[in-house]
Amino acid sequence: MKIEHLGIAVKSLNASDELFAKLLGKENYKQEAVEREGVTTSFYELGESKIELLEATNPESPIAKFLDKRGEGIHHIAFGVDDIQKEIARLKEAGFIFISEVPKDGADNKLVVFMHPKSTNGILVELCQEKEEEPS
């Protein structure tokens, strides 16, 4: 397991991309819409980890609700895993609670699942696994 990325909720992706490009001394490597979640993301590589900026695309999205409650800031920490199903089973056995136990497609070619903050000291934890490339 490794820290795959830190997710940061932002009000304006354009303004935040400008800020993070200055801060990190490099441009993002990808912007991607995840329509099912009502979010647009922007990714920055930092060594083996990444920063993911998240902007809500509709007022009902989880990011919009987070921004309304808490304002801009760290939204989640994502751990990269090799076998997401195995990690779900291991962590359930250890007593952790999942928001959903079924991985779904996420940004940046990942399968993702989220753990409930009630079982992780108030931190939204995401597990993510690189999706297999489909044969061409």
Side-chain angles (χ1 to χ4, degrees), residues 33-50:
V34 183
E35 291 185 29
R36 181 188 69 257
E37 297 297 325
V39 69
T40 300
T41 64
S42 184
F43 284 93
Y44 292 82
E45 287 184 306
L46 292 171
E48 292 187 22
S49 298
K50 301 171 196 155

Side-chain angles (χ1 to χ4, degrees), residues 5-132:
H5 67 266
L6 293 177
I8 301 173
V10 301
K11 292 178 183 172
S12 166
L13 205 52
N14 288 337
S16 296
D17 269 336
E18 193 175 307
L19 180 131
F20 274 83
K22 284 182 199 172
L23 175 69
L24 302 174
K26 62 167 96 178
E27 298 296 318
N28 67 9
Y29 72 88
K30 174 193 275 192
Q31 264 196 15
E32 181 179 350
V34 183
E35 291 185 29
R36 181 188 69 257
E37 297 297 325
V39 69
T40 300
T41 64
S42 184
F43 284 93
Y44 292 82
E45 287 184 306
L46 292 171
E48 292 187 22
S49 298
K50 301 171 196 155
I51 298 288
E52 176 189 33
L53 304 180
L54 303 126
E55 176 189 62
T57 57
N58 71 63
E60 297 304 310
S61 76
I63 295 302
K65 292 175 183 176
F66 179 90
L67 288 166
D68 287 345
K69 268 186 171 174
R70 299 186 181 182
E72 294 181 299
I74 294 179
H75 177 259
H76 66 272
I77 183 168
F79 295 107
V81 299
D82 292 329
D83 184 337
I84 200 165
Q85 295 292 355
K86 184 177 175 183
E87 287 301 314
I88 291 169
R90 180 183 75 80
L91 292 166
K92 275 182 56 181
E93 176 81 17
F96 290 93
I97 302 165
F98 285 81
I99 293 172
S100 169
E101 296 172 16
V102 179
K104 56 188 172 184
D105 289 340
D108 206 26
N109 196 43
K110 302 284 190 282
L111 285 176
V112 302
V113 67
F114 288 90
M115 299 171 68
H116 200 289
K118 288 180 183 176
S119 68
T120 55
N121 283 358
I123 298 167
L124 181 62
V125 172
E126 175 185 4
L127 301 180
C128 56
Q129 173 189 317
E130 192 77 28
K131 288 194 297 191
E132 302 283 325

